[in-house]
Amino acid sequence: MNRIYNFSAGPAMLPLPVLEKARSELLDYNGLGMSVMEISHRSKAFDEVADRSEASLRRLLSIPDDYAVLFLAGGATTQFAQVPVNLADPDRPGAYIVHGSWGKKALVTAERMGLARLAASSEDSGFREIPAQSSWNIPENAAYLHYTSNETISGLQFAEPPVTSLPLVSDMSSDILSRPIDVEKHGVIYAGAQKNIGQAGITVVIVRKDLMRDLPSTVPDLSSWKIEEKQGSRLNTPPTFAWYIAGLVFDWIESQGGVAGLARVNRQKAALLYDFIDNSDFYINDIPARFRSVMNVPFLIHDESLHTDFVAKAEAAGLSGLKGHRSVGGMRASIYNAMPLEGVQALLEFMSDFEQSSG
Ligand SMILES: Cc1ncc(COP(=O)(O)O)c(C=O)c1O
């Protein structure tokens, strides 16, 4: 077996013990003589998968009882629409802080429905900063404040959740479970799975129960968090295997000392990479240190003609997925929970060798 280091922004690498466990149970889950993929989402066996994964996630993030935990299909992009549908009205729009492409997409989706206002944006700076809270212009009638905890493309992360009296809604797709968070500061947290939760196809939505409301009958039931909660996230057939994989990932996180244990390693990995880049005259990352993401580290080479060669040689050296997002170019190392410290060390060694061979 030849496993490589996968620095892709998502779908991202999964912990090896998770893949091994899934493989060992693939043909015969729990003595049932079939795989999780083949069992009914309404069976007792799947109830156990669902209950166990929810209980683990509640432990990992210390989610209080007055919050519902939903496992839904459709990715974080679906939640860009479901957040305003469930929380806003035309006379009570959501307010959005935009410091990257994902926050902008969330805003535009809600705006098209007539349910959003822009409170602050750093687009003018090319998304190189998080707008200072003193500059935010939040409408008085806002129903909630939305922010993207970590902007995956430009590599900017909120160090702390914003302080507000409004229900705070966060897209945590690319940093959930990477560090301890205070769920109680939030009204809603949502995250697609394919970075730190597991396999693409399932989305975790954590909602304070008092924010869930009945929606007009013109809104499809599948869009209603309240109906999904009543149905145990199984109004229709959910992505069962992705849900099962999420449970295995949660078990793995617990075995790593929980979110606090992973946060220590994550900080170490990011510090190694940023220190190396900052001490180099060859590579650059021009995001101010206080905004830098611990999960996604974009970087350029001063001589941009070397980017293609860098990515190709890295791939050949077993360091995959380093090509930057098409909107920003260059390179990006996504170093989510499953990326071991050794993977970052291997990348630094490669970066150093590449610099020397190009000099
Ligand atoms: C921060 C963030 N939000 C939303 C998305 C979109 O997620 P999905 O493809 O699951 O809809 C991504 C995707 O990578 C992301 O990084």
Side-chain angles (χ1 to χ4, degrees):
M1 184 181 62
N2 189 21
R3 297 273 303 163
I4 55 153
Y5 291 120
N6 176 11
F7 291 89
S8 167
M13 70 185 286
L14 283 162
L16 190 56
V18 167
L19 296 174
E20 284 170 338
K21 174 91 171 154
R23 180 176 61 181
S24 76
E25 294 182 334
L26 190 64
L27 300 185
D28 181 4
Y29 174 72
N30 245 353
L32 292 177
M34 52 184 168
S35 76
V36 175
M37 277 180 267
E38 299 164 292
I39 63 179
S40 164
H41 58 295
R42 310 226 179 260
S43 62
K44 197 168 160 292
F46 193 79
D47 282 346
E48 278 166 21
V49 171
D51 292 348
R52 251 177 67 83
S53 50
E54 178 177 334
S56 310
L57 185 63
R58 282 186 179 278
R59 274 196 303 277
L60 286 168
L61 293 179
S62 306
I63 302 173
D65 289 345
D66 58 334
Y67 284 73
V69 176
L70 310 177
F71 288 83
L72 305 177
T77 304
T78 302
Q79 295 308 314
F80 292 168
Q82 295 198 347
V83 165
V85 163
N86 281 277
L87 299 180
D89 293 302
D91 56 354
R92 291 187 63 245
Y96 284 71
I97 309 301
V98 174
H99 64 106
S101 309
W102 292 112
K104 189 174 170 187
K105 282 194 171 137
L107 166 76
V108 169
T109 305
E111 249 176 5
R112 279 201 213 124
M113 303 160 96
L115 297 174
R117 297 281 180 282
L118 177 65
S121 170
S122 60
E123 191 162 13
D124 285 352
S125 79
F127 294 137
R128 276 186 179 72
E129 59 184 32
I130 295 176
Q133 189 148 358
S134 55
S135 72
W136 297 0
N137 187 6
I138 300 172
E140 267 180 24
N141 58 345
Y144 61 87
L145 179 67
H146 181 283
Y147 77 105
T148 309
S149 179
N150 180 65
E151 277 289 355
T152 321
I153 295 175
S154 40
L156 276 82
Q157 187 175 29
F158 272 80
E160 293 285 337
V163 178
T164 175
S165 56
L166 290 171
L168 189 57
V169 178
S170 183
D171 174 1
M172 290 197 188
S173 292
S174 51
D175 65 354
I176 195 165
L177 294 164
S178 68
R179 59 181 180 178
I181 48 164
D182 195 343
V183 172
E184 278 173 296
K185 287 190 176 153
H186 295 84
V188 179
I189 292 169
Y190 64 94
Q194 61 272 22
K195 295 130 183 350
N196 271 340
I197 295 174
Q199 182 198 330
I202 201 145
T203 312
V204 166
V205 185
I206 302 165
V207 196
R208 211 175 67 215
K209 288 181 183 167
D210 66 318
L211 294 172
M212 294 196 291
R213 56 178 186 165
D214 295 317
L215 301 180
S217 58
T218 47
V219 176
D221 286 355
L222 265 179
S223 295
S224 162
W225 291 334
K226 192 167 176 183
I227 292 178
E228 278 289 13
E229 202 240 343
K230 269 201 208 116
Q231 299 288 333
S233 304
R234 278 166 281 176
L235 177 63
N236 69 334
T237 317
T240 46
F241 197 72
W243 195 337
Y244 155 78
I245 293 287
L248 297 186
V249 171
F250 300 155
D251 291 346
W252 174 79
I253 295 175
E254 292 198 276
S255 78
Q256 302 299 298
V259 172
L262 284 174
R264 274 192 296 279
V265 184
N266 287 333
R267 278 196 303 271
Q268 208 183 344
K269 291 183 300 191
L272 275 177
L273 203 39
Y274 285 119
D275 284 353
F276 179 86
I277 294 168
D278 289 345
N279 288 319
S280 150
D281 295 325
F282 188 78
Y283 299 103
I284 42 170
N285 168 295
D286 62 0
I287 304 297
R290 65 188 189 284
F291 301 135
R292 282 175 168 175
S293 166
V294 173
M295 295 279 97
N296 308 95
V297 182
F299 57 97
L300 303 168
I301 299 174
H302 279 283
D303 177 355
E304 296 191 5
S305 69
L306 294 173
H307 287 162
T308 309
D309 197 32
F310 180 98
V311 172
K313 287 191 170 138
E315 191 81 43
L319 306 169
S320 175
L322 283 161
K323 190 169 189 301
H325 190 270
R326 60 192 177 281
S327 63
V328 291
M331 278 74 65
R332 171 177 49 173
S334 296
I335 47 175
Y336 301 120
N337 285 345
M339 174 61 67
L341 189 61
E342 295 75 28
V344 173
Q345 285 161 340
L347 174 60
L348 295 187
E349 216 170 289
F350 173 81
M351 288 169 76
S352 175
D353 290 349
F354 184 83
E355 177 177 351
Q356 272 161 30
S357 65
S358 309

